[in-house]
Amino acid sequence: MSLILKIAVIAVACAVFSSLLRDIRPEYVVLLQLCFVVVVVGVIISTASKKLGNFFDEVIPDIVEKSYITVLIKGAVVSASCTVCASLCRESGNKALGDTVELTGGIIIILFCVPLIESVVETALMYIK
């Protein structure tokens, strides 16, 4: 069974249990959804690490500097984490908390990019002189 089908089945099961649980114990719905997120992230990391390990070690360093790839991966992880966390906060009724998480994630990504911006500026100045 492909990865997306496994995740889709787990998501449907989580949605059904969330609907049933919302009537009985609404305070546990967010915990159930958080468990779903942890399981899905674990499955994705396990699969991706196997498939992308050689690619990042052998192919990418020849084309792009490794520090650029590190920034890209960190930014993607922060973005995905903040989106999921903000959605869970909003689901539990904390819209302001969700907005704060997303804003903080954006600021962190910008801070990750500062070395890249410095590198671009240095390269541009080198070509100008």
Side-chain angles (χ1 to χ4, degrees), residues 34-101:
L34 183 61
C35 289
F36 165 75
V37 169
V38 168
V39 168
V40 168
V41 167
V43 169
I44 290 173
I45 287 174
S46 171
T47 304
S49 65
K50 292 174 189 172
K51 298 195 184 233
L52 295 177
N54 290 335
F55 180 72
F56 284 119
D57 291 337
E58 296 173 8
V59 177
I60 291 295
D62 296 336
I63 302 169
V64 181
E65 263 188 64
K66 207 167 200 170
S67 62
Y68 298 153
I69 299 302
T70 304
V71 170
L72 177 71
I73 292 171
K74 285 181 181 178
V77 169
V78 168
S79 175
S81 300
C82 287
T83 300
V84 170
C85 183
S87 295
L88 287 172
C89 289
R90 288 188 188 105
E91 178 72 23
S92 68
N94 294 314
K95 183 182 178 325
L97 190 59
D99 292 344
T100 303
V101 168

